[in-house]
Amino acid sequence: QVQLVESGGDLVQPGGSLRLSCTASRISYSLTVMGWYRQSPGKQRELVAAISIDGTTNYAATMKGRFIISRDNAENKVYLQMNSLKPEDTAVYYCNAGAYDVYQEGTVWGQGTQVTVSS
């Protein structure tokens, strides 16, 4: 099974920006759709954004306009550019793969990377 490794999580001040990266261990059909989810303490995991290999995207409504998902198919990578960060964006961000379309959750998960937005 393909493995996903996230990086880029950090402590950032409100209003700041951060870029997360996720690298897949190998090329796989599971990478047709890749995405980012997040989970805050005491809350359910939620979709941030997903992107298919043809560039189709799906964003959570609360993050559209602030976050941008992109991918590099040649490098088996997906990125999440996060701008205008708010304290409520604090969460563990997980890379996801294996879905059939950008509206579904895949079965392959990374280990997560912590994003903390605080002054």
Side-chain angles (χ1 to χ4, degrees):
Q1 182 172 329
V2 65
Q3 294 182 325
L4 305 174
V5 179
E6 303 98 332
S7 61
D10 205 346
L11 170 64
V12 62
Q13 292 188 343
S17 298
L18 208 56
R19 189 194 196 205
L20 305 183
S21 299
C22 171
T23 302
S25 58
R26 60 178 177 85
I27 192 168
S28 168
Y29 185 77
S30 297
L31 304 185
T32 300
V33 175
M34 300 183 75
W36 290 95
Y37 287 72
R38 71 183 189 185
Q39 187 166 23
S40 305
K43 294 186 178 181
Q44 289 189 330
R45 185 169 59 203
E46 61 177 345
L47 169 73
V48 177
I51 185 169
S52 67
I53 198 167
D54 66 359
T56 302
T57 58
N58 178 34
Y59 289 90
T62 55
M63 291 160 243
K64 196 170 185 178
R66 295 192 299 127
F67 293 3
I68 301 171
I69 191 170
S70 61
R71 63 186 290 166
D72 183 334
N73 295 329
E75 296 292 329
N76 300 329
K77 292 179 182 289
V78 64
Y79 304 99
L80 184 68
Q81 177 67 41
M82 303 186 293
N83 302 316
S84 303
L85 283 162
K86 306 174 182 179
E88 51 264 43
D89 293 319
T90 296
V92 178
Y93 284 71
Y94 296 93
C95 185
N96 177 258
Y100 289 102
D101 62 53
V102 295
Y103 303 101
Q104 296 184 33
E105 183 178 290
T107 58
V108 184
W109 295 95
Q111 82 287 351
T113 186
Q114 177 70 47
V115 172
T116 303
V117 184
S118 175
S119 55

